[in-house]
Amino acid sequence: MSLWTDSTFTRRRVVMLEEATHCSACCCTALNKTLMIVFMILLMFAILVGNSLTLAVVLGTKHFHTPQGYLKASLAVADLAVGVFVVPLSVYAEISLMLADAAPGWTLRNSQRAAFHPCIFIGPVFAGCTLVSITTVFLLTLERSIAVLKPLHKEAVITRRRTSVLIVFSWTASFFLALSPLIFSEGMALEYNACSRMCIYALGANEFPPHAWHILLLFPAFDFTLLVGTVVTNIISFTTIRHHSKKRRHLARAGCQSTSGPSFSDIKAAKTIGALTLVFTASFTPVAVFVVGNVTGNEWCSFSFFAFWILAASSCWNVIIYSVRDQKFRLRARQLLVFSKIKNSP
């Protein structure tokens, strides 16, 4: 590629960045830019503190050394990676743009036009961790459904070893899928998007076959397939729970006690995972819609910002749901926080 073409591309990226700065609802004024950066910083700390606390509770408490606990730890690690790698890069880029009134050089080029580009690492990390999260939520739902539908067989079917194998498989498959646009299409690259304020996949050259975009449809197809499976599994579990609850009430009125069916702890855990599923479904759907719209030629600048950051915000919801729904988790988390305060006090 000639120097003229490269400089033209750079000027075009600068113009695009400036236009997006004015057209995007998140950053049309100095106040909006400041609020956006404050939001990013608060979200980063919420993700770091919340998921670190989740890992401390799950790994440091024998009660949580179960298949379900392993899955929750895997989910916390994926969410923690978003707070450690993904959000800080956006914070750095936006603060640089605001204070110096000039974006860092790598934000003006994609990964095919720069010797070193942070998005070549951050983009797959965000995509991979997102796919790990939805896969883990599906596995959590599957684990709870077995406990509800087959309570007498759950310990034989759900073992720590099988769960560990599934966790390793989910991480491997998710990151392979996250890297697939780069592996199977030479036309794809990664760039810091001026609309979403994140590292996302983009067109690597000025001209390449339009069908190269279609590989990105793997992401929403994968997400929606697992989400539909998760929702259907939850519906089956809650239908079974409702049936057993009615049966127990009927036997209680007759002065009998039911010994069959899921335990109250299994039912409570299933409801917790159901709440987690609801939050993740609401978080993943806007990005999936945006990707489909992008492939069909729609830019949706302002929508892309809200879609991607709603998805990033889902990384701090798990600790909130556990704290509200799980009394044992809440008590253990409180003990750790109190102990930390006492230890750090003079």
Side-chain angles (χ1 to χ4, degrees):
M1 180 175 290
S2 66
L3 179 62
W4 181 87
T5 306
D6 187 63
S7 61
T8 302
F9 176 81
T10 302
R11 287 197 299 272
R12 187 182 304 163
R13 289 286 297 146
V14 172
V15 172
M16 287 176 61
L17 187 65
E18 291 175 349
E19 288 177 350
T21 301
H22 293 292
C23 77
S24 182
C26 68
C27 46
C28 57
T29 65
L31 177 61
N32 284 5
K33 292 178 183 178
T34 303
L35 292 176
M36 176 187 66
I37 293 173
V38 170
F39 163 74
M40 289 180 179
I41 293 173
L42 291 177
L43 177 61
M44 179 179 66
F45 280 106
I47 293 172
L48 294 176
V49 173
N51 289 286
S52 297
L53 182 61
T54 299
L55 284 174
V57 171
V58 173
L59 300 180
T61 309
K62 190 174 181 180
H63 170 77
F64 292 101
H65 293 176
T66 62
Q68 183 184 156
Y70 289 178
L71 289 170
K72 287 181 177 179
S74 176
L75 179 60
V77 171
D79 290 338
L80 193 61
V82 174
V84 172
F85 298 109
V86 179
V87 181
L89 183 68
S90 296
V91 171
Y92 167 73
E94 295 308 316
I95 290 178
S96 299
L97 179 62
M98 186 174 182
L99 296 182
D101 200 26
W106 54 268
T107 63
L108 305 177
R109 300 175 177 88
N110 63 39
S111 59
Q112 292 184 349
R113 301 174 185 270
F116 169 77
H117 203 294
C119 284
I120 201 68
F121 170 73
I122 300 299
V125 166
F126 186 41
C129 289
T130 299
L131 296 171
V132 168
S133 295
I134 184 60
T135 305
T136 306
V137 171
F138 173 75
L139 291 176
L140 279 166
T141 303
L142 196 61
E143 185 265 344
R144 282 298 87 195
S145 69
I146 294 173
V148 169
L149 299 174
K150 301 290 183 180
L152 299 179
H153 301 86
K154 65 177 182 179
E155 292 185 1
V157 176
I158 308 169
T159 64
R160 295 180 185 180
R161 181 172 180 174
R162 288 177 182 173
T163 303
S164 299
V165 170
L166 286 173
I167 289 172
V168 172
F169 176 77
S170 71
W171 278 82
T172 304
S174 295
F175 273 87
F176 175 77
L177 184 60
L179 290 167
S180 60
L182 298 178
I183 296 173
F184 298 111
S185 176
E186 295 181 356
M188 298 304 300
L190 285 150
E191 69 173 10
Y192 186 77
N193 188 264
C195 292
S196 65
R197 261 51 191 185
M198 277 191 177
C199 291
I200 65 173
Y201 286 98
L203 313 183
N206 292 330
E207 294 182 3
F208 71 99
H211 68 267
W213 261 123
H214 295 172
I215 195 170
L216 292 183
L217 291 175
L218 286 172
F219 294 156
F222 181 82
D223 288 347
F224 277 126
T225 299
L226 284 186
L227 284 174
V228 170
T230 303
V231 171
V232 170
T233 304
N234 271 296
I235 291 174
I236 295 173
S237 297
F238 287 128
T239 302
T240 303
I241 289 172
R242 185 178 180 184
H243 171 74
H244 282 292
S245 296
K246 287 183 177 181
K247 183 178 178 180
R248 280 173 175 158
R249 285 196 298 268
H250 178 73
L251 291 174
R253 293 192 191 101
C256 302
Q257 186 175 358
S258 175
T259 57
S260 62
S263 65
F264 287 107
S265 61
D266 286 335
I267 292 174
K268 194 169 184 179
K271 291 181 178 179
T272 300
I273 303 305
L276 195 66
T277 300
L278 183 63
V279 169
F280 272 77
T281 302
S283 301
F284 291 144
T285 301
V287 167
V289 172
F290 168 75
V291 171
V292 174
N294 219 229
V295 170
T296 58
N298 298 297
E299 187 175 3
W300 293 342
C301 190
S302 295
F303 177 70
S304 71
F305 174 82
F306 291 108
F308 277 96
W309 285 96
I310 287 173
L311 178 60
S314 68
S315 297
C316 63
W317 271 102
N318 54 350
V319 67
I320 297 174
I321 294 172
Y322 302 154
S323 299
V324 172
R325 299 289 312 177
D326 191 334
Q327 184 179 11
K328 292 181 179 179
F329 180 92
R330 182 169 61 250
L331 292 175
R332 182 56 180 159
R334 188 179 301 168
Q335 289 175 356
L336 290 174
L337 292 174
V338 171
F339 177 75
S340 179
K341 289 180 181 178
I342 294 174
K343 186 177 180 179
N344 294 327
S345 62

